[in-house]
Amino acid sequence: MNFISHKNFKNIAYLFSCAIFFIFTSCEEDLTKLNGNENKNFPSRIIYDAKIVQRDSGFITLKATAPIIETYDLIDSPYTVAKKGMKIEFFDKKNPEKPGNITAKFAKIYDYKKFYEARGDVKILTSDGQRFATQSVFWDQMKKRIYTKDTVYATMEDGSTLVHANGMTAKDDFSEYKFFNNSGDLDVSKAKIAQPKAQ
């Protein structure tokens, strides 16, 4: 009788140890799967009252300011985002004293591509004093192009506002630009956009 109970105890101990082995093995596999699918799309750096300066051969080409900037660089296509708005000043070597600027309620910068996206009450002021307003703008700094498909409002020298329902494309220094509207392409590259009158 003692022999049988000892044998039963051995069987129970063996089964218990097997169960523990399988539990640990399955937990280890689950952890491996979890780590393999780990979400890395979270900010690696957060900057408050951010100021960014970009230079080319010592010359300042761009200055950006934002209340808060989040950098996501643990992913394959790193980007920087300003969810509370951003102002970007861009400088022309021909007229460095009068930078143009873009302001928006939201901005996203794709670091490696040097591609900028601005959304929400976007306003553009060129170094020549030309003014544009729209809801979104995309700036490909590598190709030196700015474009949008949203309606663009441009204020002319005489104070009138031109409305272009289907967007625009331009060189990023605004030396050339073209508006698109329902009647076709309208090239207004020679038009002068007025600065607002002082009040």
Side-chain angles (χ1 to χ4, degrees):
M1 198 65 142
N2 289 340
F3 177 73
I4 292 171
S5 66
H6 182 66
K7 188 175 180 183
N8 284 339
F9 178 75
K10 277 178 126 181
N11 287 341
I12 291 167
Y14 175 74
L15 289 171
F16 183 69
S17 62
C18 284
I20 289 174
F21 172 77
F22 283 116
I23 287 169
F24 279 129
T25 305
S26 63
C27 284
E28 188 177 334
E29 286 175 3
D30 288 341
L31 285 172
T32 305
K33 287 176 184 175
L34 183 64
N35 289 335
N37 296 327
E38 185 179 352
N39 182 11
K40 295 180 181 177
N41 194 15
F42 57 87
S44 56
R45 185 170 51 243
I46 299 174
I47 305 169
Y48 296 93
D49 296 322
K51 294 175 178 64
I52 298 171
V53 177
Q54 188 179 92
R55 297 174 189 270
D56 181 10
S57 304
F59 177 76
I60 295 175
T61 57
L62 179 147
K63 285 183 180 178
T65 55
I68 181 170
I69 287 180
E70 297 174 347
T71 303
Y72 295 75
D73 57 10
L74 301 176
I75 55 177
D76 293 337
S77 299
Y79 64 90
T80 301
V81 65
K83 295 177 182 175
K84 293 188 176 180
M86 178 179 268
K87 179 179 180 180
I88 299 174
E89 290 182 290
F90 45 92
F91 294 80
D92 185 356
K93 288 183 180 179
K94 296 174 186 174
N95 193 8
E97 300 301 319
K98 288 187 176 180
N101 66 64
I102 297 175
T103 59
K105 291 182 177 177
F106 172 90
K108 192 172 184 179
I109 303 167
Y110 298 89
D111 300 334
Y112 292 149
K113 297 177 183 178
K114 290 190 175 179
F115 188 88
Y116 297 75
E117 173 186 341
R119 293 187 181 275
D121 199 18
V122 181
K123 293 178 182 175
I124 302 170
L125 169 66
T126 71
S127 56
D128 294 334
Q130 301 170 357
R131 292 182 177 271
F132 306 93
T134 185
Q135 284 304 307
S136 71
V137 162
F138 302 92
W139 177 16
D140 189 333
Q141 197 176 13
M142 301 281 278
K143 294 181 180 179
K144 298 187 174 182
R145 301 297 300 177
I146 287 178
Y147 59 89
T148 181
K149 291 184 178 179
D150 286 340
T151 300
V152 178
Y153 300 86
T155 305
M156 306 306 292
E157 270 185 327
D158 62 2
S160 63
T161 300
L162 299 179
V163 180
H164 304 281
N166 295 322
M168 69 177 288
T169 181
K171 283 189 176 179
D172 63 0
D173 62 357
F174 284 89
S175 59
E176 293 177 13
Y177 50 89
K178 186 179 285 188
F179 293 117
F180 302 100
N181 60 25
N182 295 329
S183 61
D185 296 348
L186 174 64
D187 189 351
V188 292
S189 58
K190 295 182 180 178
K192 294 290 182 182
I193 309 299
Q195 296 186 38
K197 295 178 182 178
Q199 294 184 359

